[in-house]
């Protein structure tokens, strides 16, 4: 059976949240555990769309918080599949806050999530080939491949 | 001061959720209270984007559940401002489920949320004029105006 | 088999909540999504009591917020079945806040929830006849019938 | 200033919950931590109604689980002030489950919660005198007094 | 089959929490219902470790709040099995708050939880013998036995 | 003022959780977002203990899920400060599941969290020197230093 091909745009996923009191930490800003939960969900949705079925989280890397997110901020999460191997996929998640007054957006954090597609019995399952189209997508594909090599290297030498 | 004008597309908001066990009811499908919570949040984000500041919920109407949403479904909520009066706005929320296997989407429910823009002291605050552009937007504007007349009528005669 | 008859009082349901920080919105008052969740639960309990078994939400109408509910307020929700058709029921929910200092109660919002009774396989199931007794119950029955006609009318012409 | 007198019926509080999946434990029945949370809230509402202002939990005693509560059960909690000292009050909470099919109710657990009334600065504040009326209320008052003596005795000898 | 023997240290369990906004009550301190939920979980873990399998909560006694716990406090819960009968066990939970500035710890509350070990069908199941070793453990064993006699006595005379 | 010195053991933190239904994903195992939330909390507690005051999350790296965690599993999280710079600290979190039948523990995932200590105004604040004692602690210190160099390098070349 020929393996299907999909584009990054086919599985790109976006979510919009509002920071409410139960999402806040003791500083009155967005709690780190909550934003990671939101990132894991939207990254898993993107991976599931590429895989066409259930996925499980394998690893999380390079989450960088560059700016706090405040109570009442609108938070926009954009996830896209950067790279797909035989059964695993790397998804990048880009997070922005939006100023409620003027809709000005600022980048707040980024992170990389790796998932494996699974069948009903929980065994790894082949995913479609990812065909990056734009220059940005090709660059993301390349960098994700480098991060993947580093992760495999790290797990071998440990 | 001239009142600003905005288009429906300026405040259109979208959110994507995954139905997890804490979101389920005793039938194993998405709990009605949870989907209304998600709708209220995304509708409030759209209204806040149009108003350029905080809003509070005034009323909720005509939520129709046409199809259950299952555990593990991806749920997409689309909110757009249908109508804006002096200080209040009606937002329509359109909810679809996505089959995780084939990305086929089905309409599951719709609802209308009315918000009022408020200033720091909680008093009603003027919002920009809404200028519908497409035929669909113009139709939504008209129907929202009719619903508004009915609501005002109902509150007078009660 | 003769269809059973029940009175509105047989299924009247009441719940009492305290507004805690996780229930609050960014204005420090009760979050709209949370009160709708509470209303859906107590309305579903009333409908389930009338039906004598599981029910699912069909529609939500005419939720009107007339007054904000504050942190630390006691909130009282009263639900009663207004009307019962063959398999569906309309439940009205009346919400009051209670001042913790003097127990003075104020009406804050109202809403109408429609449910359908279902059997184990999720198919619509016949419910008992509703026999309104008091003048208030008869008036509610009549108005619920009018709302039902409007809903059916709206769904036909759409 | 003469101290106000209140009856147990003045502060009697009732709440009705539905057991949903997030409330369940690993046995598929109602999680013990959740029912204690619900009991603490309704007991605090009853104490706050008697005190006419904020209260804080001092102690919890004699919670006895006599029967498990299942998923989809309706749970009814009834709280009433059994005894009031100068600044503290004992509240009894009686919990029943209701069979969704036939509305048959079964007693599932009971517990005693002691609260102290506080002023804005968190200092103990005098509460109204409790005047038990019925035989049941007088018996509860007496038993609560005995439990109070035991608690004071236990805290002295420890 | 000879009944296994275990020491209190074999099942001693500890948990560490941070008080976040969703854990707070209307006074800005830790909500009583939440701390009881945390106590029930860690007590159940200790009982489950002694029993070597699932347990269900039977009763909760003598929770005494001696000091409020504040937002941003680190909370340490220590649970140990005080006494084991044939199928039931009493677990004591000791709760401290830690000052984030200087790690100074203060005792805040204590409570006793009784569990019964169950098999897959939910029937009571024999647990290992508990062999207290230190003087403190022997004292706890003795006191738990006294509390047990009181509980049995109370349930008989009621 | 001389800068204080602390040992890794001074801030080592441990937490124990039970996997309940609201913590599960659609596969019936522990939801990735929830375990990251638990890791962020316990890592922040360890960093806060080393810093002697509030901290905020800067980055998260190298979370590797090697084995799923099941419903009803006991989960043990151990956090220790691996490295401390002038104002930032790297904390390693080691997560194990415990079989409820036989207390056998298995390693499930690991991750590295970086925090910065902040003063009341949210500005970076100096932390004590970390003095690793055991060989394991010295090795962790060294590796954390290498990861830090990589992170700084990555942020420069990006």
């Amino acid at each position: 059976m020929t393996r299907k091909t999909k584009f990054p745009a086919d599985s790109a996923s976006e979510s919009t949240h509002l920071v409410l009191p139960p999402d806040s930490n003791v500083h009155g800003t967005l709690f780190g555990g909550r934003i990671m939960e939101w990132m894991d969900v939207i990254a898993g949705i993107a991976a599931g769309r590429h895989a066409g079925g259930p996925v499980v989280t394998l690893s999380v890397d390079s989450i960088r918080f560059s700016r706090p997110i405040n109570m009442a901020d609108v938070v926009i999460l954009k996830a896209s599949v950067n790279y797909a191997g035989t059964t695993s996929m790397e998804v990048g998640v880009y997070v922005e806050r939006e100023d409620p007054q003027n809709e000005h957006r600022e980048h707040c954090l980024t992170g990389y999530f790796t998932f494996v597609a699974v069948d009903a019995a929980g065994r790894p399952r082949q995913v479609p080939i990812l065909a990056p189209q734009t220059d940005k997508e090709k660059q993301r594909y390349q960098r994700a491949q480098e991060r993947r090599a580093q992760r495999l290297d790290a797990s071998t030498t440990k």
Side-chain angles (χ1 to χ4, degrees), chain A:
Chain A
M1 203 180 79
T2 334
R3 207 168 145 202
K4 209 175 159 182
T5 294
K6 283 188 179 178
F7 305 125
D10 292 334
S11 54
S13 301
E14 184 170 338
S15 199
T16 314
H17 292 266
L18 180 70
V19 184
L20 288 165
D23 306 318
S24 66
N25 61 22
V26 299
H27 308 290
T29 59
L30 178 57
F31 166 46
R34 186 59 44 94
I35 182 66
M36 284 190 272
E37 185 188 316
W38 291 349
M39 292 170 88
D40 184 56
V41 168
I42 197 70
I45 288 173
R49 282 172 165 170
H50 183 76
V55 300
V56 298
T57 312
L58 269 191
S59 66
V60 181
D61 276 285
S62 307
I63 297 185
R64 299 282 169 271
F65 295 82
S66 54
R67 177 178 283 116
I69 299 178
N70 301 315
M71 179 76 74
D73 277 359
V74 169
V75 181
I76 301 104
L77 295 99
K78 288 178 183 158
S80 62
V81 180
N82 289 333
Y83 173 85
T86 312
T87 61
S88 75
M89 298 148 283
E90 193 207 81
V91 178
V93 184
Y94 186 88
V95 182
E96 292 173 304
R97 65 177 288 277
E98 182 179 299
D99 192 300
Q101 240 86 59
N102 54 25
E103 287 165 63
H104 175 67
R105 292 191 182 185
E106 292 179 313
H107 174 247
C108 294
L109 72 159
T110 313
Y112 302 108
F113 290 72
T114 312
F115 296 88
V116 66
V118 290
D119 62 19
R123 280 170 313 216
R125 196 174 60 81
Q126 208 188 51
V127 300
I129 292 161
L130 182 79
Q133 299 295 297
T134 68
D135 283 356
K136 202 167 196 177
E137 287 171 4
K138 285 173 187 164
Q139 196 189 44
R140 283 174 181 167
Y141 189 93
Q142 164 118 29
R143 287 196 179 158
Q145 238 176 345
E146 291 163 18
R147 279 188 296 267
R148 192 193 184 211
Q150 281 178 356
R151 277 193 296 264
L152 291 173
D153 191 47
S155 69
T156 316
T157 60
K158 207 162 35 183

